[in-house]
Amino acid sequence: MKFNALPAYLLRRHLALGESLIVLSSLLLLSFGILLAPATAQTPPTEDAQIRFRFRNSEAEGAPDAATPAAGKVRCRTTVKPNGGAYYTNTFTKGSNQGFVNVSAAFSPYRCRISFPSRDYAASSFTTETFQPAEINLNETYVFARNDAFRVRLIDSNGVPVTGIPARLTLTIAKNAENTLSSLGVRPALVAKGIVDDTIGGIQFDLVGNEIYRLKSLPGAGSSLPGIAGTAGGTSTESLKAKRAAFIAPTANKYFVEQTSFVIPFPEADGGSTPQTQDIVLHEADSSVEVTLFDTDGITAIDGYVRLVSRANLQDESTDNDVRLEVESAVAAGSSIILPAISGRTFQITAGPETPSDTSLPPSPVLVTPTTGENVVVNLSLKKVNYQLLVKPLPVTSEGETLDPTTFEYLACFAYNARGERQFEDTPDSEGMFPLPLRVAKRSSRERWRIGCHGIPSTSETSTEYFGEVNYLTEKDKNRDTLRVTMPPKGTSYAEQVETVAADEDSDITFPDSQSTLEVPEEALGTSGNINISIKTATGWRVDPDAVPVDAWQIEPRTSEGTLITSPSSPIEYCAPVPTEALATYGVTEESVVIASYDELEERWIPEETVLVGPEGNRFVCASLGHFSVWGTLLDVMYYLKTTVPTNAKVKVKDDKKKTKKSSCLVKWEAPDTLFEDVLSYIVRYTTRGNRTSCDDFDTTELKERTVDGATKTTVKTKKSCCAEVILVDGDIPTSRLYSKKKQK
């Protein structure tokens, strides 16, 4: 027998009982024909009860009792806190009809897992009831044969296998996805890992049929770096390297991965010779974007980050445009960074400093559409702040009572606008105000910002979370203002919960909200010993139209010695319920729900590839965590707005008031119905050539473009006519073409 992580007083109390336990185990061995693991130096507390289980054949009609087809091991871990690290083990031999493990009734109930070293079989786990001393707790486990082949291929967009890429693949049971392929009601505990054979671009696994799996792919050993350094300002001609999304083959071709996470129904094989195959499609990069980040002087290239995103075009069914492309890298001081791109796709480029500043703001995002073979050079500069907004947070209970914010253990305020500029502050001044340094492009006009605050009365115990946002207009010809932000209750803030798991077995962890979960594969956090996983409500985050947090969690695993684990060796699955109330509040669909991590240095959310699982009415979003930090469930409102068309668009040409030969063309429209209408950006495409008939015939590339931030009208100069359309920045659908002509006098 083996026992782990017992309190010292229990060890001392039971030292005298060790010999009798060994005798008891030997008697049971004779009764059930079970090979018993040898006793260890650490003697557990009184083994005064027994967990007994019988084997069932999952493939036979009615799942009758059966002899186990291979030798294996059972491990039963207590679910009683704070003894979550305590477990007992035993072994069984091939041909056994049942097995057992002796345990302490005081630590019941237990979660028990059956494992087969041969990897030819898998079994279902079970959780016992609470039982008393001298009681035999009866259970059953189903044995599954892993005799159905499953193949994974790496192919390009033309279906040709891609070789030379040693991608790492992990297959796990998709526990949050309903198994509609089997009526058995139980599922195997199974984790399959492998590295793609880079000589053929594929790999084959032996799995249990009639199951739902999650497949996750990651770069293997020798994968390329996110990008390479060029010369500041964009004079490098060096070759590209790619990121997450991207692998580099021996031929120096660069590929974006269309999808890295899949939920796969896997029916039982029908006896045919061809195994079920899942293709991972790689899109070859044929162009590049080279970015340099400068300080406010426009001369000094600084340390920072660069991110390129091309959103999927939801209205385009072509395989080249209906997938999201994303690549990201650090950029070093004195250098540019070269990142891969695909021609014909529009990429939004965002960048920012390695460490945020109170005297500057990150540059506004820019859009580029590379052509084949083109290296698009983009030089971005930080912007000086010129406007100080002092924010006073006002937490208010659901009964309307105003609370004293100075008693809160956590408070922070943030700001963002349509230009993509943002600011964050979690330290108040001596008056309890939060200073947010902003930038106003035109001091003579009022500019729109969105301001929010987030607060928690107590971070050490469960309490109420408060959050509020308001639209704000800067004051004309001023450089300072104050604002109050009311913060109604947002939900529950949960205190720290610590779960202890064994590194060498898979574990399921339920969050303090009793809904969100982590699925930790065996050896994802180490090969032996116990791991303490801390989970609590996160603080320090901010909001954007494409990142509205519904909940956020700080996830920190540590070894039993206290060493922080920053990333797992295998993907860990995080799942959270689809927030139906929040969907209604923001007027979006469940496709807008994403899981993301928060980068505290860059003060921004980084979305992870997210999948929807579960039946109607019980839907979850899931993603694989590749590192540990703040993770949350977000609403990407901009994803929903991509298909929204600005309404009531109008174009009108009028004489210039200065009586010049030029006239003005006023283009105006109404914003989509959203809480974020004041921080949306639009592109007005226009031309002053042609007539009413030719207006609809112009190709988009023949039109000039103007970006309009946070407003719903703009004016362009013309001689006599104007043809225009309006589309949201990064949107899919423009308004109809509109035409206006100067009236003849």
Side-chain angles (χ1 to χ4, degrees):
M1 292 263 177
K2 181 180 178 183
F3 185 79
N4 192 41
L6 270 174
Y9 78 91
L10 288 176
L11 293 173
R12 290 193 298 269
R13 189 181 79 174
H14 194 64
L15 279 174
L17 299 176
E19 292 183 4
S20 62
L21 284 173
I22 295 175
V23 172
L24 170 63
S25 299
S26 300
L27 292 174
L28 289 170
L29 171 62
L30 293 175
S31 300
F32 298 103
I34 305 299
L35 177 62
L36 186 65
T40 65
Q42 282 189 333
T43 307
T46 306
E47 294 177 355
D48 54 10
Q50 186 179 95
I51 297 172
R52 193 178 299 177
F53 54 92
R54 59 182 182 176
F55 296 103
R56 306 287 298 271
N57 185 350
S58 65
E59 296 183 355
E61 187 71 26
D65 292 356
T68 175
K73 182 177 73 172
V74 57
R75 173 181 293 185
C76 292
R77 176 180 294 277
T78 177
T79 62
V80 178
K81 298 178 182 180
N83 304 307
Y87 61 84
Y88 297 82
T89 64
N90 200 358
T91 58
F92 51 84
T93 58
K94 179 179 179 180
S96 302
N97 295 98
Q98 53 186 311
F100 74 92
V101 60
N102 295 325
V103 298
S104 169
F107 281 9
S108 64
Y110 290 84
R111 179 177 180 266
C112 299
R113 180 175 183 261
I114 312 297
S115 59
F116 296 95
S118 67
R119 306 291 181 180
D120 294 328
Y121 301 93
S124 62
S125 300
F126 60 88
T127 300
T128 73
E129 299 176 344
T130 302
F131 47 83
Q132 301 301 317
E135 184 177 340
I136 295 178
N137 187 265
L138 299 177
N139 301 272
E140 56 188 24
T141 179
Y142 290 76
V143 179
F144 300 81
R146 295 174 58 171
N147 53 12
D148 288 324
F150 176 76
R151 185 170 60 187
V152 180
R153 297 190 308 168
L154 304 183
I155 62 172
D156 64 19
S157 54
N158 296 316
V160 178
V162 177
T163 59
I165 298 177
R168 292 184 294 130
L169 304 179
T170 301
L171 278 156
T172 57
I173 300 295
K175 297 178 182 177
N176 286 87
E178 181 184 10
N179 186 4
T180 57
L181 302 177
S182 172
S183 59
L184 191 59
V186 294
R187 307 178 73 174
L190 189 158
V191 177
K193 301 178 184 179
I195 298 176
V196 169
D197 183 343
D198 59 3
T199 64
I200 61 173
I203 186 174
Q204 184 165 301
F205 296 92
D206 291 326
L207 302 178
V208 175
N210 289 335
E211 256 300 343
I212 311 295
Y213 290 88
R214 172 184 286 278
L215 170 66
K216 177 67 178 180
S217 67
L218 293 171
S223 297
S224 64
L225 299 173
I228 65 169
T231 304
T235 58
S236 173
T237 57
E238 297 184 61
S239 61
L240 297 174
K241 289 187 178 181
K243 188 222 174 193
R244 150 203 185 220
F247 301 95
I248 188 165
T251 56
N253 295 339
K254 303 93 191 170
Y255 297 94
F256 282 91
V257 181
E258 179 174 306
Q259 188 174 345
T260 64
S261 185
F262 305 82
V263 174
I264 302 169
F266 183 58
E268 190 173 39
D270 58 6
S273 59
T274 303
Q276 180 174 327
T277 301
Q278 176 65 52
D279 291 329
I280 298 178
V281 182
L282 309 181
H283 295 266
E284 186 172 356
D286 60 359
S287 57
S288 60
V289 178
E290 184 173 358
V291 182
T292 307
L293 179 62
F294 294 100
D295 206 342
T296 54
D297 60 8
I299 299 173
T300 307
I302 62 173
D303 291 325
Y305 66 88
V306 175
R307 181 181 175 211
L308 274 64
V309 175
S310 180
R311 290 176 178 264
N313 188 331
L314 304 181
Q315 305 302 308
D316 193 333
E317 296 181 356
S318 77
T319 56
D320 291 334
N321 293 313
D322 62 355
V323 296
R324 177 187 176 99
L325 304 178
E326 181 177 351
V327 61
E328 180 177 346
S329 176
V331 58
S335 303
S336 64
I337 192 70
I338 306 171
L339 295 172
I342 293 180
S343 61
R345 293 288 298 260
T346 297
F347 288 83
Q348 183 184 66
I349 305 170
T350 56
E354 184 178 55
T355 304
S357 169
D358 291 337
T359 60
S360 63
L361 293 171
S364 299
V366 299
L367 300 176
V368 300
T369 306
T371 58
T372 303
E374 182 182 12
N375 180 52
V376 181
V377 175
V378 178
N379 296 322
L380 302 173
S381 298
L382 302 185
K383 301 175 183 178
K384 292 182 178 180
V385 300
N386 58 10
Y387 191 93
Q388 182 84 331
L389 180 64
L390 297 175
V391 180
K392 178 70 172 180
L394 295 174
V396 178
T397 67
S398 55
E399 291 77 25
E401 177 187 359
T402 300
L403 304 179
D404 182 2
T406 63
T407 65
F408 277 43
E409 292 186 7
Y410 172 78
L411 269 174
C413 295
F414 55 87
Y416 56 98
N417 64 9
R419 292 192 297 267
E421 299 165 347
R422 56 185 184 271
Q423 197 59 273
F424 177 89
E425 182 59 65
D426 59 4
T427 303
D429 62 18
S430 58
E431 302 296 323
M433 308 288 280
F434 288 78
L436 294 177
L438 309 180
R439 174 179 172 270
V440 178
K442 294 183 179 180
R443 301 288 291 275
S444 59
S445 61
R446 306 184 73 184
E447 290 193 356
R448 293 179 171 89
W449 285 77
R450 192 158 172 86
I451 314 296
C453 295
H454 177 219
I456 298 174
S458 174
T459 56
S460 58
E461 58 186 30
T462 298
S463 62
T464 302
E465 197 171 5
Y466 293 85
F467 176 82
E469 277 191 284
V470 296
N471 292 325
Y472 171 72
L473 279 172
T474 60
E475 295 293 328
K476 285 185 179 181
D477 301 319
K478 292 185 178 181
N479 60 9
R480 188 180 181 88
D481 196 12
T482 60
L483 177 69
R484 294 187 175 189
V485 175
T486 300
M487 303 159 54
K490 176 182 182 290
T492 302
S493 172
Y494 295 94
E496 182 182 36
Q497 166 186 303
V498 178
E499 294 283 347
T500 302
V501 302
D504 59 350
E505 75 173 49
D506 65 308
S507 302
D508 296 334
I509 296 174
T510 301
F511 283 38
D513 65 355
S514 300
Q515 298 184 84
S516 304
T517 59
L518 276 184
E519 292 183 17
V520 185
E522 59 185 57
E523 299 188 351
L525 301 177
T527 57
S528 63
N530 288 330
I531 306 297
N532 299 313
I533 302 178
S534 168
I535 301 170
K536 62 181 179 181
T537 294
T539 59
W541 46 261
R542 49 176 294 280
V543 174
D544 276 325
D546 59 355
V548 181
V550 177
D551 56 38
W553 302 96
Q554 180 78 46
I555 305 172
E556 291 185 347
R558 296 179 183 271
T559 65
S560 55
E561 292 79 24
T563 303
L564 180 66
I565 301 172
T566 57
S567 59
S569 60
S570 298
I572 289 179
E573 185 176 67
Y574 165 59
C575 292
V578 170
T580 52
E581 290 187 12
L583 297 183
T585 298
Y586 289 93
V588 296
T589 62
E590 62 181 16
E591 286 75 20
S592 301
V593 184
V594 297
I595 289 173
S597 63
Y598 189 75
D599 190 308
E600 296 180 1
L601 288 177
E602 299 172 1
E603 297 180 352
R604 64 198 181 94
W605 290 97
I606 301 174
E608 183 59 48
E609 191 171 328
T610 304
V611 295
L612 281 162
V613 298
E616 195 72 28
N618 189 31
R619 302 277 274 169
F620 283 78
V621 284
C622 297
S624 296
L625 310 191
H627 69 280
F628 299 109
S629 60
V630 173
W631 287 86
T633 307
L634 312 182
L635 299 183
D636 184 351
V637 177
M638 289 307 300
Y639 176 91
Y640 173 78
L641 293 178
K642 277 174 60 64
T643 58
T644 303
V645 182
T647 57
N648 294 330
K650 298 178 181 178
V651 172
K652 187 174 183 180
V653 175
K654 299 185 296 183
D655 285 335
D656 193 298
K657 294 181 179 179
K658 296 181 179 181
K659 305 299 182 182
T660 64
K661 294 183 179 180
K662 291 282 187 179
S663 297
S664 62
C665 175
L666 174 65
V667 184
K668 62 180 182 178
W669 60 94
E670 292 181 6
D673 184 15
T674 172
L675 296 173
F676 300 99
E677 62 180 76
D678 280 1
V679 291
L680 297 180
S681 293
Y682 305 86
I683 294 176
V684 177
R685 301 171 181 155
Y686 68 96
T687 181
T688 57
R689 300 182 293 111
N691 53 38
R692 187 178 299 276
T693 301
S694 62
C695 180
D696 287 329
D697 296 332
F698 283 112
D699 188 86
T700 302
T701 58
E702 299 179 85
L703 303 178
K704 297 179 181 179
E705 291 188 352
R706 173 179 294 183
T707 302
V708 181
D709 298 316
T712 54
K713 64 179 180 180
T714 188
T715 301
V716 298
K717 296 294 184 180
T718 182
K719 289 184 177 180
K720 60 178 181 179
S721 66
C722 180
C723 170
E725 66 183 22
V726 184
I727 189 172
L728 276 164
V729 166
D730 211 20
D732 291 338
I733 310 173
T735 62
S736 300
R737 293 276 174 87
L738 302 167
Y739 179 82
S740 179
K741 183 178 179 180
K742 180 179 178 181
K743 292 183 178 180
Q744 299 294 328
K745 295 184 178 179

